[in-house]
């Protein structure tokens, strides 16, 4: 090889070194994610280097130029991928065509074969470029150049001979080696870059770790092999109260004398490779508080696997611990209740999408009430254990509660000879999905008693009604029969008074006056009693009545009294139509108006206001006066017969009026009520059916 050729070879080698640079810039260090532009640019630059290589060629014989394009293009194919390979190969082919000469065809073939071998190799051995060994790179160089030699067979015979004579051997010695060296340099770049990345990754990981440890909400500490503290984070300071500076290099400060052994055992186990996971210890803090700590321990090893110490994560679970204890206690309490309560509890599971219901559990009372053995029913179908459950409707209720998630009440009753034989009240509610709970109580005795009570009340009411009727008819006959003799007494005392008054001594006159007055009072009393007992004797019919005209009629009958008393009676609202019995309603209203005119303060004139309100189908007729009023404690009593709050001297009366009012409204299905302020007035309200 001449001096010129050697120089060109050196130039070629220098240019090939730029591949390492280009590879580093574009493929190793590049962070851009835009692949295509990067590949195009690198393709052009590689093409230019290849062109440079080809322009630094040496001539073997006229027209047969030689260079290291095969090395260049082989490496481009192997390391840079398809696009850069195509661009640089095209540029090389273009230049080779321009250079011309008899070596054009073999030259172009070499370009294409080298780049193809590179691409195929890369594609075939699809793996990280960093993993290519020297041997592989050398083998690759040989393959590329075997193909190159084959291309040289295309040379005209003379040049071909020259080539094989002079260049073939050096080419096969130098070129694969050059391919290997440049390729190795590129591989090394990747490895170096990876190393740097790993190192910086490690550094940032350690930094991140340090931040995490510092800010961790749980205490993180480490000990050396003598169990002395080597690190103590802020959470540890907060939980235990000792500052990091107080504990570094010293044994753990919080270990109680009584726990020393436990800790020692734990540390030994940790160092043996048996990590502690979540063991709980009671500890004392620096200020003497007792706290519960959950401990996670693991051994620390250096990179060679030698033990360095212990790493611990400690969590303050005092509150959690207390809550758990409370929960356990309350669970126990509920369990006791469940087991000892007198009420039955059955837990069911609905299976097969509602096709069947099985027992999950039943408490002892439940078993007692239903007469089953808990062990025998668990997991078994309700229908199999209690075939009557469908007939009693309980099964359907369980399914309904499960479907609707709405609690329901379902009494289960059984009768025998028309008397209660068994009665259980079931309260069914949904529990977890597919679970339904029934709480039930055997209330047979209670219901039997109620039944008995009802029967007795009914009998007693019937008896009372009969007695009442008897009494009323007795009162009616007595009053009726008393009328005739009373009329005689009153009549004759009037005759005596008219004819013989003047011939009677003064005392006799006074006595005659007493007889007349008592006879009049008795007559009123008998009239009242007769009226009271007559009410309801005949059947009562209710009709639609205009309340206004009824009230007007009542006022009209009392006109003389109103004038005598100088009273003012006014209707202050509209009065609607009501559904009532005319005579009863008139009696009630007249009596109330009479009382309103009677019971007023001496010297003041009665003011009576009549109004009505309509509410929920009822008419409330109110008669309000400004009279003497009635104390609360008498509000019930005054509606009974003969109940008076005043003497005859204060206010004359029989004590029958309000009982007539009450009886009248009750017979019409209504009621009467009273509001009053003593000294200010009274307000009687009749509740009458509306229309
Ligand atoms: P009488 O009016 O004949 O005494 P009632 O049954 O009508 O009988 O009344 C019973 C008692 O209720 C009366 O004696 C009176 O003390 C009291 N009373 C009734 N209406 C009023 C009223 N409007 N204001 C004050 N007291 C009343």
């Amino acid at each position: 090889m001449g001096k010129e050729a050697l120089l060109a070879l050196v130039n070629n080698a220098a240019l090939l070194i730029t591949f390492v640079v280009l590879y580093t810039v574009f493929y190793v260090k590049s962070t851009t994610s835009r692949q295509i532009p990067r590949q195009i640019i690198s393709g052009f630059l590689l093409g230019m280097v290849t062109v440079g290589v080809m322009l630094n060629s040496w001539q073997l014989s006229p027209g047969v130029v030689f260079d290291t394009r095969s090395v260049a293009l082989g490496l481009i194919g192997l390391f840079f991928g398809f696009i850069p390979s195509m661009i640089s190969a095209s540029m090389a082919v273009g230049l080779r065509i321009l250079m011309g000469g008899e070596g054009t065809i073999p030259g172009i073939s070499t370009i294409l074969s080298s780049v193809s071998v590179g691409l195929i190799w890369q594609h075939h051995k699809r793996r990280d470029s960093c993993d290519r060994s020297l041997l592989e790179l050398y083998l690759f160089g040989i393959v590329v150049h075997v193909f190159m030699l084959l291309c040289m067979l295309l040379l005209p015979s003379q040049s071909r001979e020259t080539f094989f004579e002079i260049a073939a051997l050096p080419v096969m010695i130098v070129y694969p080696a050059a391919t290997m060296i440049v390729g190795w340099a590129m591989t090394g770049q990747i490895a170096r870059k990876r190393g740097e990345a790993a190192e910086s990754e490690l550094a940032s990981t350690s930094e991140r770790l340090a931040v995490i440890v510092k800010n961790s909400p749980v205490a993180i500490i480490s000990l050396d092999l003598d169990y002395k503290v080597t690190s103590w984070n802020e959470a540890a300071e907060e939980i235990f109260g000792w500052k990091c500076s107080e504990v570094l290099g010293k044994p753990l400060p919080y270990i109680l004398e009584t726990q020393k052994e436990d800790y020692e055992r734990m540390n030994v186990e940790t160092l043996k490779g048996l990590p502690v996971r979540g063991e709980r210890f009671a500890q004392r803090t620096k200020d003497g508080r007792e706290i519960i700590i959950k401990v996670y321990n693991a051994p620390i090893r250096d990179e060679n696997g030698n033990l360095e110490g212990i790493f611990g994560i400690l969590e303050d679970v005092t509150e959690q611990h207390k809550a758990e204890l409370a929960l356990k206690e309350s669970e126990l309490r509920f369990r006791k209740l469940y087991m000892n309560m007198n009420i039955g509890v059955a837990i069911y599971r609905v299976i097969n999408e509602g096709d069947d219901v099985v027992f999950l559990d039943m408490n002892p009372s439940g078993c007692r009430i239903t007469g089953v053995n808990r062990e025998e029913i668990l997991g078994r179908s309700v229908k199999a254990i209690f075939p009557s459950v469908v007939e009693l409707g309980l099964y359907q209720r369980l399914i309904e509660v499960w479907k609707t998630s709405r609690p329901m009440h379902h009494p289960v009753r059984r009768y025998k000879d028309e008397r209660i034989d068994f009665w259980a009240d079931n309260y069914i509610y949904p529990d977890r999905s597919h679970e339904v709970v029934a709480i039930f109580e055997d209330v047979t005795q209670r219901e039997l008693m109620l039944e008995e009570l009802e029967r007795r009340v009914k009998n007693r009411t019937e008896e009372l009604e009969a007695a009442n009727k008897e009494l009323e008819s007795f009162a009616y006959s007595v009053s009726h029969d008393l009328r005739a003799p009373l009329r005689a007494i009153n009549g004759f005392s009037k005759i005596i008074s008219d004819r013989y008054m003047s011939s009677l001594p003064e005392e006799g006159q006074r006595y005659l006056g007493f007889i007349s007055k008592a006879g009049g009072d008795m007559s009123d009393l008998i009239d009242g009693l007769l009226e009271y007992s007559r009410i309801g004797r005949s059947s009562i019919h209710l009709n639609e009545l205009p309340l206004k005209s009824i009230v007007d009629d009542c006022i009209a009958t009392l006109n003389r009294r109103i004038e005598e008393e100088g009273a003012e009676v006014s209707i202050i609202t509209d009065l609607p139509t009501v559904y009532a019995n005319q005579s009863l309603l008139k009696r009630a209203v007249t009596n109330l108006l009479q009382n309103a005119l009677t019971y007023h303060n001496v010297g003041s004139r009665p003011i009576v206001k009549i109004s009505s309100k309509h509410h929920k189908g009822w008419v409330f007729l109110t008669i309000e006066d400004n009279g003497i009023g009635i104390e609360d404690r008498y509000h019930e009593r005054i509606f009974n017969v003969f109940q008076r709050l005043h003497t005859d001297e204060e206010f004359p009366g029989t004590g029958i009026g309000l009982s007539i009012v009450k009886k009248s409204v009750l017979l019409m299905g209504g009621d009467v009520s009273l509001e009053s302020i003593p000294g200010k007035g009274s307000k009687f309200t009749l509740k009458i059916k509306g229309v």
Side-chain angles (χ1 to χ4, degrees):
M1 193 184 284
K3 195 177 156 200
E4 191 189 324
L6 198 64
L7 195 65
L9 190 63
V10 171
N11 278 345
N12 273 215
L15 281 165
L16 284 177
I17 296 300
T18 58
F19 275 21
V20 182
V21 178
L22 285 176
Y23 189 63
T24 310
V25 171
F26 283 98
Y27 289 81
V28 179
K29 289 203 169 147
S30 168
T31 51
T32 172
S33 56
R34 289 160 68 202
Q35 285 280 338
I36 304 289
R38 187 182 65 173
Q39 290 189 3
I40 293 173
I41 295 169
S42 65
F44 275 108
L45 292 172
L46 289 164
M48 279 158 71
V49 177
T50 312
V51 167
V53 165
M54 288 166 70
L55 291 174
N56 279 287
S57 57
W58 57 95
Q59 196 161 355
L60 286 181
S61 60
V64 181
V65 287
F66 215 73
D67 52 54
T68 57
R69 76 186 70 165
S70 53
V71 177
L73 287 157
L75 288 171
I76 290 172
L78 186 64
F79 281 92
F80 291 85
F82 187 73
I83 295 176
S85 301
M86 287 303 109
I87 295 172
S88 44
S90 311
M91 287 169 72
V93 168
L95 177 68
R96 189 61 196 88
I97 292 169
L98 282 178
M99 284 162 82
E102 59 181 25
T104 305
I105 298 292
I108 291 172
S109 310
T110 304
I111 290 167
L112 296 179
S113 77
S114 303
V115 88
S116 305
V117 170
L119 283 171
I120 291 166
W121 194 284
Q122 159 66 15
H123 183 76
H124 184 61
K125 301 207 159 186
R126 201 184 270 273
R127 63 179 142 94
D128 201 334
S129 305
C130 158
D131 291 343
R132 299 196 191 288
S133 64
L134 280 176
L135 182 66
E136 184 191 337
L137 289 166
Y138 186 67
L139 262 175
F140 173 70
I142 289 181
V143 173
V144 170
H145 292 96
V146 166
F147 275 94
M148 190 199 85
L149 292 186
L150 292 175
C151 294
M152 289 308 138
L153 292 175
L154 297 172
L155 280 168
S157 59
Q158 205 187 334
S159 303
R160 186 173 47 205
E161 272 167 26
T162 319
F163 170 77
F164 279 100
E165 235 171 65
I166 309 170
L169 191 61
V171 160
M172 284 313 286
I173 292 170
V174 176
Y175 281 25
T179 309
M180 178 185 77
I181 290 165
V182 178
W184 176 73
M186 285 156 80
T187 312
Q189 284 304 314
I190 304 170
R192 203 164 48 73
K193 165 77 182 172
R194 293 258 167 93
E196 278 169 15
E199 241 170 59
S200 84
E201 175 84 21
L202 200 65
S204 69
T205 305
S206 317
E207 263 168 38
R208 236 176 291 147
L209 206 63
V211 172
I212 290 171
V213 169
K214 185 170 179 286
N215 299 324
S216 156
V218 290
I220 300 179
I221 61 172
S222 58
L223 309 176
D224 60 16
L225 290 173
D226 295 328
Y227 309 140
K228 302 254 170 66
V229 177
T230 50
S231 74
W232 183 265
N233 74 344
E234 281 177 12
E237 291 184 345
E238 208 166 288
I239 292 172
F240 297 106
W242 284 278
K243 291 269 156 220
C244 180
S245 53
E246 293 176 275
V247 294
L248 270 190
K250 295 181 189 156
L252 282 174
Y254 53 72
I255 298 180
L256 303 174
E257 202 54 43
T258 50
Q259 289 180 349
K260 266 203 167 130
E261 268 183 30
D262 276 350
Y263 257 92
E264 210 110 295
R265 170 193 55 81
M266 193 169 82
N267 287 338
V268 170
E269 279 180 3
T270 306
L271 289 176
K272 272 191 200 156
L274 295 167
V276 177
R277 293 205 181 94
E279 224 170 284
R280 289 184 181 197
F281 289 93
Q283 314 283 10
R284 273 203 195 284
T285 60
K286 190 179 178 186
D287 56 13
R289 267 180 312 116
E290 187 170 299
I291 56 172
I292 307 291
I293 292 294
K294 201 171 177 184
V295 181
Y296 298 85
N297 269 3
I300 309 173
R301 292 174 192 280
D302 64 13
E303 57 268 31
N304 301 320
N306 300 322
L307 282 172
E308 272 192 338
I310 295 173
F311 163 80
I313 295 179
L314 304 107
E315 193 185 353
D316 179 359
V317 291
T318 315
E319 290 311 314
Q320 190 186 336
H321 189 76
K322 277 188 199 159
E324 280 169 11
L325 278 184
L327 192 71
K328 229 181 244 168
E329 251 173 50
S330 106
E331 256 174 26
L332 265 178
R333 234 191 337 258
F334 281 117
R335 182 88 207 146
K336 247 192 212 164
L337 192 72
Y338 175 77
M339 296 305 283
N340 297 321
M341 68 205 281
N342 222 359
I343 291 172
V345 181
I347 305 170
Y348 306 93
R349 178 186 282 281
V350 179
I351 58 169
N352 301 339
E353 291 311 306
D355 262 4
D356 206 355
V357 177
V358 294
F359 279 106
L360 277 190
D361 199 13
M362 193 185 272
N363 74 342
S365 279
C367 294
R368 181 177 44 75
I369 294 169
T370 52
V372 293
N373 188 326
R374 181 174 174 271
E375 274 63 44
E376 284 169 12
I377 60 163
L378 295 192
R380 293 191 53 199
S381 159
V382 177
K383 282 191 272 192
I385 305 284
F386 299 116
S388 62
V389 77
V390 176
E391 192 190 321
L392 292 169
L394 184 62
Y395 184 82
Q396 293 85 324
R397 276 279 184 270
L398 294 175
I399 298 290
E400 217 176 318
V401 170
W402 169 68
K403 275 191 183 153
T404 61
S405 292
R406 266 208 321 265
M408 285 181 187
H409 170 227
H410 184 75
V412 168
R413 306 182 190 109
R414 211 171 43 221
Y415 290 89
K416 202 171 175 184
D417 302 332
E418 293 189 4
R419 290 218 62 194
I420 295 169
D421 181 42
F422 175 76
W423 186 312
D425 262 345
N426 283 274
Y427 296 91
I428 309 162
Y429 64 87
D431 203 25
R432 280 174 290 186
S433 72
H434 294 286
E435 282 180 27
V436 175
V437 174
I439 294 182
F440 53 98
E441 195 180 0
D442 181 356
V443 290
T444 313
Q445 287 311 316
R446 188 190 74 192
E447 290 301 324
L448 276 173
M449 269 166 66
L450 275 177
E451 197 185 48
E452 175 62 20
L453 214 63
E454 250 170 48
R455 202 176 50 76
R456 280 196 204 169
V457 168
K458 195 167 162 249
N459 289 348
R460 199 55 58 80
T461 312
E462 277 169 11
E463 279 168 23
L464 277 175
E465 271 171 4
N468 227 8
K469 279 236 163 70
E470 219 168 277
L471 210 66
E472 273 182 17
S473 76
F474 172 73
Y476 180 78
S477 352
V478 169
S479 327
H480 192 265
D481 294 348
L482 279 178
R483 265 186 139 183
L486 189 63
R487 212 176 293 127
I489 294 171
N490 284 344
F492 283 110
S493 45
K494 177 139 180 29
I495 292 169
I496 294 173
S497 159
D498 290 349
R499 295 190 193 163
Y500 309 107
M501 185 62 114
S502 49
S503 50
L504 284 175
E506 205 174 301
E507 199 173 17
Q509 285 182 15
R510 212 153 40 92
Y511 290 160
L512 186 62
F514 288 152
I515 293 171
S516 301
K517 164 89 172 65
D521 287 352
M522 194 162 169
S523 177
D524 287 347
L525 208 59
I526 287 173
D527 284 349
L529 261 182
L530 269 177
E531 188 184 354
Y532 180 78
S533 43
R534 230 182 251 139
I535 297 173
R537 283 173 81 86
S538 51
S539 50
I540 289 155
H541 297 288
L542 303 186
N543 304 306
E544 286 187 14
L545 301 171
L547 191 54
K548 170 85 170 66
S549 72
I550 301 274
V551 172
D552 280 343
D553 282 357
C554 297
I555 295 173
T557 55
L558 294 170
N559 254 345
R560 246 189 64 207
R561 281 241 19 225
I562 294 171
E563 267 171 34
E564 276 168 21
E565 300 286 351
E568 185 188 318
V569 179
S570 53
I571 301 173
I572 57 170
T573 63
D574 279 347
L575 301 181
T577 306
V578 291
Y579 195 62
N581 176 281
Q582 179 159 331
S583 125
L584 292 180
L585 186 57
K586 272 190 175 170
R587 267 199 191 110
V589 174
T590 310
N591 268 299
L592 290 179
L593 285 173
Q594 267 171 341
N595 284 351
L597 294 171
T598 306
Y599 298 101
H600 62 90
N601 296 307
V602 187
S604 77
R605 74 187 187 111
I607 295 175
V608 185
K609 289 178 188 156
I610 303 165
S611 59
S612 85
K613 245 193 317 192
H614 210 282
H615 183 63
K616 288 188 179 167
W618 293 95
V619 171
F620 295 87
L621 177 71
T622 300
I623 296 172
E624 185 179 356
D625 63 49
N626 63 336
I628 56 170
I630 304 162
E631 279 180 53
D632 278 357
R633 60 194 165 121
Y634 298 125
H635 283 197
E636 289 274 322
R637 211 165 94 186
I638 52 168
F639 289 101
N640 295 335
V641 187
F642 301 140
Q643 291 299 325
R644 307 208 64 230
L645 305 180
H646 304 95
T647 60
D648 241 14
E649 281 68 40
E650 289 172 296
F651 297 100
T654 56
I656 297 176
L658 286 181
S659 47
I660 289 176
V661 173
K662 178 112 183 174
K663 195 172 175 187
S664 305
V665 285
L666 287 182
L667 282 170
M668 291 188 291
D671 206 353
V672 57
S673 61
L674 164 63
E675 288 167 65
S676 177
I677 303 172
K680 290 257 157 94
S682 307
K683 212 166 145 183
F684 285 87
T685 301
L686 299 180
K687 184 178 166 191
I688 317 160
K689 281 183 184 164
V691 179

